[in-house]
Structures are given as structure tokens and as C-alpha cells.
Amino acid sequence: GRSPEGEERREPPPAAVSNGGDEDSGRELVELKVIWNKNKYDVKFCLDSTGAELKQKIHSLTGLPPAMQKVMFKGLLPEEKTLREIKVTNGAKIMVVGSTINDVLAVNTPKEAAQQEVKAEENKKEPLCRQKQHRKVLDKGKPDDVMPSVRGVQERLPTVPLSGMYNKSGGKVRLTFKLEQDQLWIGTKERTEKLPMGSIKNVVSEPIEGHEDYHMMAFQLGPTEASYYWVYWVPTQYVDAIKDTVLGKWQYF
């Protein structure tokens, strides 16, 4: 009976028997730091579990329903892939952005009312793209390096910045959606403005006449229309995703 005993002694002390059993059945665990709303959670999770299963785990920790979660690890976490496939390692930080239903209802109600008022106002006026301030930019024509548009399709935000658009002074502008920081970055040649999503009161958009596959879009940064930041030549397939992301509405995919 000497030999099995000797083998047991050679095992490193931390590897408890049950853990060895887990390893054998393919259940390798990884230690994660889940960060949500300034709260940190230390979680041990199976490497062969999927992003969707991790969302369920986050739900049990935070009370945040999976459909309301944006889970970030080197970009948006794919629900269908396992943690092993996306190369999650021990000590990895998993960022979670999202509000519970009650928070969303508390924030969204005034925004929705504001949007309806703006819509009513818009209906009284001529189309935005015929107004003088906008014609100035639109008459320059479509930028050469504008991103391609896809009509009749709604897409999620791309992982790269939206670029090749103009602002109201006709300068080039790009939009970067920093979901893990809950910020929209508006970048021009001169500088980059980093705006918290919550500070943007409304998003207005309208198709550009004659080029309906592109929109002109405004982000309302203050209490009145004077605070609109205009962006021209936004590809139509991203318009809904931009509004949902900025205004804090959540899509159920």
C-alpha cells in the first residue's frame, strides 16, 4: 500500500480532491472581478460556460436582468461563446453597464416626454435638411470617406468608431461609443469631447433628402435647441442603435 499513499503526498497542497474531480469533468474554474455600478464582485466561474450563463450569474449577484446588461470584456461579451473561447484568464475584469428596471423608469420618463415635445415641434416645421444652417453643410455633398450605409436594416453599433461624418461647421467628426465608461466621445481634428451618456438629454435624427440612407442627427447637450450638436451623414442602419445606447433604452436581442 506504499505506492498510492506516496502519490497522494506528491499532489500540491491547494488542489483539493473535489477540485481535481471538477478538472477531470472539464469544469475548470476561473476567478473573475465583476464590476458594476462601483460595486466589485469576486466570482469563480466555469471556463466552459457561455456569456449567456455569465449574464445569469451577474443577474443573481446584482439583480440586473440579463436583457438589461451590457457585459464588457475586450468589447461586448458574445453570449454564445464560452469564456475559454474568448480567452478569459484568472483575475480578468468584467465590466457590466446597465440599470435596474426601476432606475430606467425613473430616468426615462422625462426623456420620453421631451422627445414627444420635440417631435410635435418638428412636425410644424419644414424638413430640417432644407433649413439654411443645415444646407450650408449638406451642399458640400457626401464625404468621400463616409461609412457605407445599408437600407432597411438595423444593426448594433460597430466596435470601431463611426467616422467620415461632418459637424455643423463642416469639419470632420467621429463618434466613439465607450460603453464600458458609459460615455460618447465626439472627436474632431482639434479635440475629443467625452460626454457621459446621461448628460445627453435627447437625440433627434432625420433622413437627408435625396440620400435617405443617411441621416442628420443631433445630440441635445443642454436645455434648449441651441445646445444641439449636429452630425451629418450618419449611416441609417446605426440610427436606432445610437438612440437606444445614448438614451438608455435597452433592446431585447
Side-chain angles (χ1 to χ4, degrees):
R2 206 181 118 282
S3 108
E5 212 179 327
E7 280 186 23
E8 257 175 14
R9 275 201 200 117
R10 276 204 297 278
E11 265 197 37
V17 178
S18 67
N19 210 11
D22 278 354
E23 301 269 341
D24 293 348
S25 62
R27 290 190 60 75
E28 195 180 332
L29 298 177
V30 65
E31 292 185 8
L32 309 172
K33 278 203 184 317
V34 174
I35 300 165
W36 172 69
N37 225 357
K38 299 190 180 139
N39 299 316
K40 292 189 174 132
Y41 305 87
D42 288 317
V43 179
K44 280 191 175 171
F45 208 65
C46 176
L47 257 184
D48 293 302
S49 295
T50 61
E53 289 170 308
L54 181 58
K55 283 189 164 187
Q56 290 295 344
K57 176 74 174 171
I58 291 168
H59 181 200
S60 70
L61 293 170
T62 62
L64 193 61
M68 312 280 279
Q69 297 174 18
K70 286 185 184 172
V71 182
M72 316 292 300
F73 173 75
K74 297 180 182 170
L76 213 50
L77 184 86
E79 287 198 0
E80 65 289 350
K81 291 199 170 168
T82 65
L83 304 195
R84 190 188 296 277
E85 285 173 318
I86 58 170
K87 301 192 168 38
V88 173
T89 52
N90 257 333
K93 284 188 180 163
I94 307 286
M95 306 286 297
V96 182
V97 179
S99 311
T100 60
I101 301 261
N102 293 342
D103 297 341
V104 170
L105 291 177
V107 170
N108 254 3
T109 319
K111 281 192 179 175
E112 305 235 316
Q115 264 192 298
Q116 256 130 35
E117 278 171 38
V118 170
K119 279 219 164 66
E121 275 301 302
E122 279 173 11
N123 292 341
K124 294 180 209 159
K125 296 183 195 157
E126 62 180 340
L128 292 168
C129 56
R130 288 192 205 154
Q131 291 173 20
K132 197 167 138 197
Q133 58 161 335
H134 302 306
R135 283 267 40 109
K136 225 171 37 186
V137 182
L138 293 172
D139 287 346
K140 287 176 67 150
K142 191 158 54 164
D144 301 335
D145 55 351
V146 74
M147 293 175 89
S149 72
V150 186
R151 280 180 92 157
V153 175
Q154 289 181 13
E155 290 187 14
R156 293 191 193 194
L157 290 174
T159 49
V160 297
L162 286 176
S163 59
M165 298 167 294
Y166 289 137
N167 60 15
K168 67 179 178 195
S169 57
K172 277 295 172 64
V173 66
R174 70 183 171 278
L175 302 177
T176 309
F177 294 87
K178 291 282 183 184
L179 299 183
E180 66 278 15
Q181 290 155 10
D182 215 19
Q183 291 180 345
L184 167 61
W185 290 12
I186 299 179
T188 59
K189 205 166 60 179
E190 295 75 39
R191 66 173 190 274
T192 298
E193 298 217 31
K194 300 178 179 182
L195 305 171
M197 300 277 191
S199 71
I200 300 170
K201 306 205 167 23
N202 199 7
V203 181
V204 181
S205 79
E206 185 184 278
I208 296 171
E209 269 185 339
H211 298 276
E212 276 73 14
D213 45 346
Y214 287 94
H215 281 228
M216 44 193 285
M217 180 176 273
F219 300 100
Q220 186 180 341
L221 309 181
T224 65
E225 279 193 26
S227 64
Y228 279 0
Y229 188 101
W230 285 97
V231 177
Y232 303 85
W233 304 102
V234 178
T236 183
Q237 69 269 27
Y238 299 130
V239 168
D240 284 346
I242 291 172
K243 288 182 178 176
D244 289 344
T245 302
V246 171
L247 296 176
K249 294 213 184 67
W250 298 84
Q251 291 182 330
Y252 290 74
F253 289 109

mmCIF file with all atom_site columns, all heavy atoms in Angstrom, residues 112-123:
data_model
loop_
_atom_site.group_PDB
_atom_site.id
_atom_site.type_symbol
_atom_site.label_atom_id
_atom_site.label_alt_id
_atom_site.label_comp_id
_atom_site.label_asym_id
_atom_site.label_entity_id
_atom_site.label_seq_id
_atom_site.pdbx_PDB_ins_code
_atom_site.Cartn_x
_atom_site.Cartn_y
_atom_site.Cartn_z
_atom_site.occupancy
_atom_site.B_iso_or_equiv
_atom_site.pdbx_formal_charge
_atom_site.auth_seq_id
_atom_site.auth_comp_id
_atom_site.auth_asym_id
_atom_site.auth_atom_id
_atom_site.pdbx_PDB_model_num
ATOM 1  N N   . GLU A 1 112 ? -38.693 60.734 -22.407 1.00 0.00 ? 112 GLU A N   1
ATOM 2  C CA  . GLU A 1 112 ? -39.709 60.381 -23.403 1.00 0.00 ? 112 GLU A CA  1
ATOM 3  C C   . GLU A 1 112 ? -40.625 61.584 -23.654 1.00 0.00 ? 112 GLU A C   1
ATOM 4  O O   . GLU A 1 112 ? -40.966 61.886 -24.786 1.00 0.00 ? 112 GLU A O   1
ATOM 5  C CB  . GLU A 1 112 ? -40.551 59.205 -22.900 1.00 0.00 ? 112 GLU A CB  1
ATOM 6  C CG  . GLU A 1 112 ? -39.687 58.024 -22.519 1.00 0.00 ? 112 GLU A CG  1
ATOM 7  C CD  . GLU A 1 112 ? -40.098 56.756 -23.235 1.00 0.00 ? 112 GLU A CD  1
ATOM 8  O OE1 . GLU A 1 112 ? -41.297 56.505 -23.300 1.00 0.00 ? 112 GLU A OE1 1
ATOM 9  O OE2 . GLU A 1 112 ? -39.213 56.041 -23.719 1.00 0.00 ? 112 GLU A OE2 1
ATOM 10 N N   . ALA A 1 113 ? -40.987 62.257 -22.570 1.00 0.00 ? 113 ALA A N   1
ATOM 11 C CA  . ALA A 1 113 ? -41.862 63.427 -22.720 1.00 0.00 ? 113 ALA A CA  1
ATOM 12 C C   . ALA A 1 113 ? -41.156 64.484 -23.571 1.00 0.00 ? 113 ALA A C   1
ATOM 13 O O   . ALA A 1 113 ? -41.750 65.075 -24.478 1.00 0.00 ? 113 ALA A O   1
ATOM 14 C CB  . ALA A 1 113 ? -42.203 63.983 -21.346 1.00 0.00 ? 113 ALA A CB  1
ATOM 15 N N   . ALA A 1 114 ? -39.868 64.686 -23.287 1.00 0.00 ? 114 ALA A N   1
ATOM 16 C CA  . ALA A 1 114 ? -39.098 65.679 -24.056 1.00 0.00 ? 114 ALA A CA  1
ATOM 17 C C   . ALA A 1 114 ? -39.068 65.296 -25.530 1.00 0.00 ? 114 ALA A C   1
ATOM 18 O O   . ALA A 1 114 ? -39.216 66.144 -26.417 1.00 0.00 ? 114 ALA A O   1
ATOM 19 C CB  . ALA A 1 114 ? -37.679 65.760 -23.516 1.00 0.00 ? 114 ALA A CB  1
ATOM 20 N N   . GLN A 1 115 ? -38.913 63.991 -25.785 1.00 0.00 ? 115 GLN A N   1
ATOM 21 C CA  . GLN A 1 115 ? -38.859 63.555 -27.187 1.00 0.00 ? 115 GLN A CA  1
ATOM 22 C C   . GLN A 1 115 ? -40.177 63.837 -27.898 1.00 0.00 ? 115 GLN A C   1
ATOM 23 O O   . GLN A 1 115 ? -40.187 64.256 -29.045 1.00 0.00 ? 115 GLN A O   1
ATOM 24 C CB  . GLN A 1 115 ? -38.578 62.048 -27.241 1.00 0.00 ? 115 GLN A CB  1
ATOM 25 C CG  . GLN A 1 115 ? -37.112 61.746 -27.445 1.00 0.00 ? 115 GLN A CG  1
ATOM 26 C CD  . GLN A 1 115 ? -36.903 60.289 -27.793 1.00 0.00 ? 115 GLN A CD  1
ATOM 27 O OE1 . GLN A 1 115 ? -37.219 59.439 -26.997 1.00 0.00 ? 115 GLN A OE1 1
ATOM 28 N NE2 . GLN A 1 115 ? -36.399 60.018 -28.953 1.00 0.00 ? 115 GLN A NE2 1
ATOM 29 N N   . GLN A 1 116 ? -41.296 63.581 -27.176 1.00 0.00 ? 116 GLN A N   1
ATOM 30 C CA  . GLN A 1 116 ? -42.591 63.821 -27.824 1.00 0.00 ? 116 GLN A CA  1
ATOM 31 C C   . GLN A 1 116 ? -42.778 65.304 -28.153 1.00 0.00 ? 116 GLN A C   1
ATOM 32 O O   . GLN A 1 116 ? -43.271 65.653 -29.216 1.00 0.00 ? 116 GLN A O   1
ATOM 33 C CB  . GLN A 1 116 ? -43.718 63.321 -26.920 1.00 0.00 ? 116 GLN A CB  1
ATOM 34 C CG  . GLN A 1 116 ? -44.276 62.002 -27.440 1.00 0.00 ? 116 GLN A CG  1
ATOM 35 C CD  . GLN A 1 116 ? -44.347 60.961 -26.347 1.00 0.00 ? 116 GLN A CD  1
ATOM 36 O OE1 . GLN A 1 116 ? -44.606 61.298 -25.207 1.00 0.00 ? 116 GLN A OE1 1
ATOM 37 N NE2 . GLN A 1 116 ? -44.120 59.713 -26.700 1.00 0.00 ? 116 GLN A NE2 1
ATOM 38 N N   . GLU A 1 117 ? -42.351 66.154 -27.230 1.00 0.00 ? 117 GLU A N   1
ATOM 39 C CA  . GLU A 1 117 ? -42.474 67.596 -27.493 1.00 0.00 ? 117 GLU A CA  1
ATOM 40 C C   . GLU A 1 117 ? -41.661 67.989 -28.722 1.00 0.00 ? 117 GLU A C   1
ATOM 41 O O   . GLU A 1 117 ? -42.118 68.738 -29.576 1.00 0.00 ? 117 GLU A O   1
ATOM 42 C CB  . GLU A 1 117 ? -41.941 68.397 -26.298 1.00 0.00 ? 117 GLU A CB  1
ATOM 43 C CG  . GLU A 1 117 ? -42.948 68.536 -25.184 1.00 0.00 ? 117 GLU A CG  1
ATOM 44 C CD  . GLU A 1 117 ? -42.301 69.134 -23.945 1.00 0.00 ? 117 GLU A CD  1
ATOM 45 O OE1 . GLU A 1 117 ? -41.460 70.028 -24.099 1.00 0.00 ? 117 GLU A OE1 1
ATOM 46 O OE2 . GLU A 1 117 ? -42.639 68.687 -22.833 1.00 0.00 ? 117 GLU A OE2 1
ATOM 47 N N   . VAL A 1 118 ? -40.437 67.473 -28.782 1.00 0.00 ? 118 VAL A N   1
ATOM 48 C CA  . VAL A 1 118 ? -39.574 67.801 -29.925 1.00 0.00 ? 118 VAL A CA  1
ATOM 49 C C   . VAL A 1 118 ? -40.226 67.314 -31.218 1.00 0.00 ? 118 VAL A C   1
ATOM 50 O O   . VAL A 1 118 ? -40.240 68.017 -32.222 1.00 0.00 ? 118 VAL A O   1
ATOM 51 C CB  . VAL A 1 118 ? -38.171 67.155 -29.750 1.00 0.00 ? 118 VAL A CB  1
ATOM 52 C CG1 . VAL A 1 118 ? -37.360 67.282 -31.021 1.00 0.00 ? 118 VAL A CG1 1
ATOM 53 C CG2 . VAL A 1 118 ? -37.440 67.834 -28.599 1.00 0.00 ? 118 VAL A CG2 1
ATOM 54 N N   . LYS A 1 119 ? -40.806 66.106 -31.174 1.00 0.00 ? 119 LYS A N   1
ATOM 55 C CA  . LYS A 1 119 ? -41.462 65.559 -32.383 1.00 0.00 ? 119 LYS A CA  1
ATOM 56 C C   . LYS A 1 119 ? -42.593 66.491 -32.829 1.00 0.00 ? 119 LYS A C   1
ATOM 57 O O   . LYS A 1 119 ? -42.737 66.796 -34.001 1.00 0.00 ? 119 LYS A O   1
ATOM 58 C CB  . LYS A 1 119 ? -42.022 64.169 -32.088 1.00 0.00 ? 119 LYS A CB  1
ATOM 59 C CG  . LYS A 1 119 ? -40.987 63.081 -32.153 1.00 0.00 ? 119 LYS A CG  1
ATOM 60 C CD  . LYS A 1 119 ? -41.577 61.825 -32.796 1.00 0.00 ? 119 LYS A CD  1
ATOM 61 C CE  . LYS A 1 119 ? -40.495 60.871 -33.226 1.00 0.00 ? 119 LYS A CE  1
ATOM 62 N NZ  . LYS A 1 119 ? -39.727 60.302 -32.136 1.00 0.00 ? 119 LYS A NZ  1
ATOM 63 N N   . ALA A 1 120 ? -43.400 66.933 -31.864 1.00 0.00 ? 120 ALA A N   1
ATOM 64 C CA  . ALA A 1 120 ? -44.532 67.806 -32.203 1.00 0.00 ? 120 ALA A CA  1
ATOM 65 C C   . ALA A 1 120 ? -44.010 69.092 -32.854 1.00 0.00 ? 120 ALA A C   1
ATOM 66 O O   . ALA A 1 120 ? -44.555 69.584 -33.850 1.00 0.00 ? 120 ALA A O   1
ATOM 67 C CB  . ALA A 1 120 ? -45.329 68.122 -30.945 1.00 0.00 ? 120 ALA A CB  1
ATOM 68 N N   . GLU A 1 121 ? -42.928 69.631 -32.287 1.00 0.00 ? 121 GLU A N   1
ATOM 69 C CA  . GLU A 1 121 ? -42.316 70.844 -32.848 1.00 0.00 ? 121 GLU A CA  1
ATOM 70 C C   . GLU A 1 121 ? -41.840 70.589 -34.278 1.00 0.00 ? 121 GLU A C   1
ATOM 71 O O   . GLU A 1 121 ? -42.074 71.380 -35.178 1.00 0.00 ? 121 GLU A O   1
ATOM 72 C CB  . GLU A 1 121 ? -41.094 71.245 -31.992 1.00 0.00 ? 121 GLU A CB  1
ATOM 73 C CG  . GLU A 1 121 ? -41.430 72.092 -30.784 1.00 0.00 ? 121 GLU A CG  1
ATOM 74 C CD  . GLU A 1 121 ? -42.114 73.393 -31.153 1.00 0.00 ? 121 GLU A CD  1
ATOM 75 O OE1 . GLU A 1 121 ? -41.531 74.170 -31.915 1.00 0.00 ? 121 GLU A OE1 1
ATOM 76 O OE2 . GLU A 1 121 ? -43.253 73.617 -30.704 1.00 0.00 ? 121 GLU A OE2 1
ATOM 77 N N   . GLU A 1 122 ? -41.185 69.459 -34.447 1.00 0.00 ? 122 GLU A N   1
ATOM 78 C CA  . GLU A 1 122 ? -40.605 69.155 -35.763 1.00 0.00 ? 122 GLU A CA  1
ATOM 79 C C   . GLU A 1 122 ? -41.688 69.079 -36.835 1.00 0.00 ? 122 GLU A C   1
ATOM 80 O O   . GLU A 1 122 ? -41.476 69.473 -37.975 1.00 0.00 ? 122 GLU A O   1
ATOM 81 C CB  . GLU A 1 122 ? -39.858 67.815 -35.716 1.00 0.00 ? 122 GLU A CB  1
ATOM 82 C CG  . GLU A 1 122 ? -38.481 67.950 -35.120 1.00 0.00 ? 122 GLU A CG  1
ATOM 83 C CD  . GLU A 1 122 ? -37.820 66.597 -34.932 1.00 0.00 ? 122 GLU A CD  1
ATOM 84 O OE1 . GLU A 1 122 ? -38.333 65.589 -35.446 1.00 0.00 ? 122 GLU A OE1 1
ATOM 85 O OE2 . GLU A 1 122 ? -36.785 66.565 -34.255 1.00 0.00 ? 122 GLU A OE2 1
ATOM 86 N N   . ASN A 1 123 ? -42.842 68.528 -36.430 1.00 0.00 ? 123 ASN A N   1
ATOM 87 C CA  . ASN A 1 123 ? -43.907 68.354 -37.432 1.00 0.00 ? 123 ASN A CA  1
ATOM 88 C C   . ASN A 1 123 ? -44.407 69.691 -37.967 1.00 0.00 ? 123 ASN A C   1
ATOM 89 O O   . ASN A 1 123 ? -44.921 69.774 -39.065 1.00 0.00 ? 123 ASN A O   1
ATOM 90 C CB  . ASN A 1 123 ? -45.073 67.561 -36.828 1.00 0.00 ? 123 ASN A CB  1
ATOM 91 C CG  . ASN A 1 123 ? -44.652 66.137 -36.547 1.00 0.00 ? 123 ASN A CG  1
ATOM 92 O OD1 . ASN A 1 123 ? -43.650 65.680 -37.111 1.00 0.00 ? 123 ASN A OD1 1
ATOM 93 N ND2 . ASN A 1 123 ? -45.357 65.446 -35.674 1.00 0.00 ? 123 ASN A ND2 1
#
